Amino acid sequence: MASSKFVDQVDVLGDIVRSWTPENREDVEAKLLAELEVETMVVLHGSADRETGDDDDGVAALGRVLQQRSFPRVKTLGLVYCRLKQEQSVAEIATAIGAGNLPNLETLNFGSNSKIGDAGAKLLAEALGSAKLPGLHRLHLIDSGVGDEGLTALANALGTGNTPSLTRLHVGSENEVFHSSGASTLAQVFGSGHLPALEDLSLQGLVDEEGVVALLKALELGKVGEFKNLDMSNCKFGLEGAKALADVLQTPQFSTLRLLDLQGNPAIDDAAILALSAAFKSNNLSNLRCLGLKKVSMSGAGLLELASVLESGHLPGLMELFADGAENTPASAEALVRAYEKNTALVALITIDWPTTPEVTAEDWPSATLQGNADFFKRRNKDRQIAMSRQFRGTVDSEASEENAQDAKDVETLPEKKETSELKPWKRGLSFARRDVPVEIKVCS
């Protein structure tokens, strides 16, 4: 129901805004005013496929209406996929924000407006620096053409302390470029304590590892909130950045982390993965659900290290590991399968290119491929967890608390003999199933 209401409201506002002409200006602004008096969400959503036209006149009209008075009901202001080509349209919106007419704003979303650029970012920064927005939780400027100057201006605005409740900051994209100057300014804000609730950061496009390290060192100071999501994809993120990130990931603020996205960082190689592994093995990331390592320079050695992490039971909450583009050798693929086999709690979806296993024939069971064997163990583990959960719940419902503890212990140690016996056919022809052959991990310097 809420979703339907949101779509209907976006359509109403969009229809009014797009109906603006010089001739019906007063009528359109009157309709907008009436709509703004009752709405809590003011969102204009354009189309990513639209090649012609623009939304400048309508957005400017919306800005002028917002300047007329305070609108305390409005909690969300969004301009998404709008074709904004003129600075004046953003200036009108920024003026309304700076005047304090949206005192209860919680979400400000200017994402996917590639023409906003540094000029628009500076206008928004000026507004954020002058208006107190104690309830602002989310600021989105992804894929909006913001560069180093815009990032610096935004960082300075956030450093005023006017947005103490900000939890989510999303800036940049694979198409945008930030250098160390913008990153360093933002790092100063992270270390200042002016964003004590920040828990979700997406900052893409940092092309200087110096800036990456500066940001991470600032986060390590612990002046931010308990982090849930960290996205630093499409950055210049090499060994030094990996070492700095490993330190950050072992701090108390990151024990709550659920998503870590480092995709599109070609400087992340096997040595960087080994550096990050220190954090993975620290047991501080038990809540991590998703790890993005897509399109990095990881080879079999890095995958062997990750397999070792998973086999040992680290990252127990991991549900998704994206490693598309990694050089998955037969040895690393076998290690990943062994991780599923030996860590019976592992059910993570590992997205990767699996090599075939020529020495295994189609008659072997359950599959002639390493991917098939990995899928088999993943299903086994999931079924086992479901059975354990059902058995435990049934026991709790029927037994006294003292007996429950013993039953839970029994459930945790389900007979392994039966499983081992059932898996014997799978092991035929797969040399890595031998427990006495250790996996050697080497990283070339």
Side-chain angles (χ1 to χ4, degrees), residues 298-300 302-311 318 321 323 326-343 346 348-355 370-371 373-375 377-378 381 426 432 439:
M298 180 167 54
S299 71
L303 288 172
L304 280 170
E305 177 65 13
L306 290 178
S308 173
V309 168
L310 297 176
E311 181 179 333
L318 193 67
L321 169 58
E327 183 185 343
N328 193 14
T329 65
S332 59
E334 291 169 355
L336 288 170
V337 177
R338 184 171 59 249
Y340 279 117
E341 179 195 11
K342 296 184 70 174
N343 180 2
L346 180 62
L349 171 65
I350 300 177
T351 305
I352 198 169
D353 293 328
W354 290 91
L370 288 163
Q371 180 180 1
N373 289 309
D375 290 342
F377 279 118
K378 183 168 61 175
N381 295 346
W426 167 83
F432 76 94
V439 174

Side-chain angles (χ1 to χ4, degrees), residues 375-402:
D375 290 342
F376 168 74
F377 279 118
K378 183 168 61 175
R379 287 194 302 270
R380 179 207 68 173
N381 295 346
K382 187 173 183 180
D383 290 343
R384 184 174 184 271
Q385 287 189 8
I386 291 173
M388 289 170 61
S389 177
R390 287 174 177 170
Q391 183 174 344
F392 182 71
R393 286 202 306 268
T395 302
V396 169
D397 290 340
S398 59
E399 301 292 340
S401 59
E402 183 174 339

Side-chain angles (χ1 to χ4, degrees), residues 24 26 32 42 54 63 88 118 129 180 201 242 280 301 309 423 425 439:
N24 68 355
E26 293 183 0
L32 283 173
V42 179
D54 62 68
Q88 187 59 32
D118 282 337
S180 57
L201 174 65
F280 298 154
V309 168
L423 296 177
V439 174

Side-chain angles (χ1 to χ4, degrees), residues 128-167:
L128 293 173
S130 59
K132 293 188 180 298
L133 296 171
L136 187 67
H137 295 300
R138 294 166 286 274
L139 176 60
H140 295 254
L141 277 166
I142 289 180
D143 197 18
S144 293
V146 178
D148 219 41
E149 292 183 10
L151 179 62
T152 300
L154 288 168
N156 285 326
L158 297 176
T160 61
N162 286 347
T163 57
S165 299
L166 194 71
T167 59

